[in-house]
Amino acid sequence: MIETEIYKVAASRYGRRVAMRLASRWWWALALPLGAAIIVGIWDWRWWFVALVMIFILYPGLLFIAYYYYALSPEAVRAILPQRAQITPDAVTLIYYPIAEGCNAPKPRVIPKKDIRSVSLEGNYIDLQLDKEDVIEIPKSAFPPGTIREAFPNLNEINGEMN
């Protein structure tokens, strides 16, 4: 069994992942109405005003709703809590720790290795892709020296030193 040190994933890293997931899926829903208003504005300038309303009022409101929807999800809470990973040949167990004294931590999450679709190296993190939207991120620095390849022999990309 390989056990990592206690680590935290930065909230900005989780936010970036959610933003990229939303942007790659819904970019057209924002671009089409805006583009149409700009093009029609060539003939009638009032449509440029409509485009400005979309940019400065409608889109920030939609981003605000999306932000709170994802920021308050259980996935977000689990992503940024202090945690430790225990990797066995059969499963990866994430053990969560309370963020402050008097707070409760979620129950440990056991992920069978057969449920992990891919393992890849993204910067200083190892990403375990479980399904289309669920990604577990473990910093390379949390692993004991020389154990990353042993923990994940099917690691896809190796960029730089493995540890």
Side-chain angles (χ1 to χ4, degrees):
M1 176 176 74
I2 297 169
E3 189 168 344
T4 66
E5 297 174 11
I6 296 176
Y7 62 89
K8 274 181 79 170
V9 176
S12 61
R13 185 157 174 89
Y14 173 76
R16 185 180 318 118
R17 184 166 37 98
V18 169
M20 294 303 291
R21 182 174 50 195
L22 286 174
S24 67
R25 186 180 305 158
W26 294 103
W27 67 269
W28 59 270
L30 299 176
L32 284 177
L34 182 62
I38 290 171
I39 290 171
V40 173
I42 293 171
W43 292 280
D44 185 359
W45 66 271
R46 291 176 289 193
W47 283 98
W48 286 338
F49 180 72
V50 171
L52 290 173
V53 167
M54 282 187 215
I55 292 171
F56 293 111
I57 297 175
L58 180 64
Y59 292 169
L62 293 175
L63 289 173
F64 179 77
I65 292 168
Y67 173 80
Y68 273 98
Y69 176 78
Y70 284 100
L72 298 176
S73 69
E75 176 190 355
V77 172
R78 283 195 312 262
I80 64 170
L81 278 175
Q83 52 194 291
R84 175 188 305 257
Q86 292 179 338
I87 298 118
T88 62
D90 300 330
V92 175
T93 304
L94 298 174
I95 302 167
Y96 299 102
Y97 294 91
I99 204 157
E101 296 221 11
C103 296
N104 293 330
K107 294 179 182 175
R109 181 177 181 189
V110 179
I111 304 160
K113 286 240 178 142
K114 64 180 176 65
D115 291 348
I116 300 173
R117 285 183 160 179
S118 68
V119 180
S120 61
L121 189 61
E122 296 287 334
N124 291 325
Y125 287 84
I126 294 174
D127 289 352
L128 309 177
Q129 184 79 39
L130 303 181
D131 59 28
K132 192 171 184 179
E133 295 188 1
D134 197 6
V135 178
I136 304 298
E137 298 173 323
I138 305 172
K140 287 188 336 184
S141 60
F143 283 89
T147 59
I148 293 176
R149 179 60 70 191
E150 181 185 341
F152 303 108
N154 58 342
L155 185 63
N156 295 16
E157 302 170 16
I158 301 171
N159 300 335
E161 293 295 315
M162 277 306 295
N163 172 351

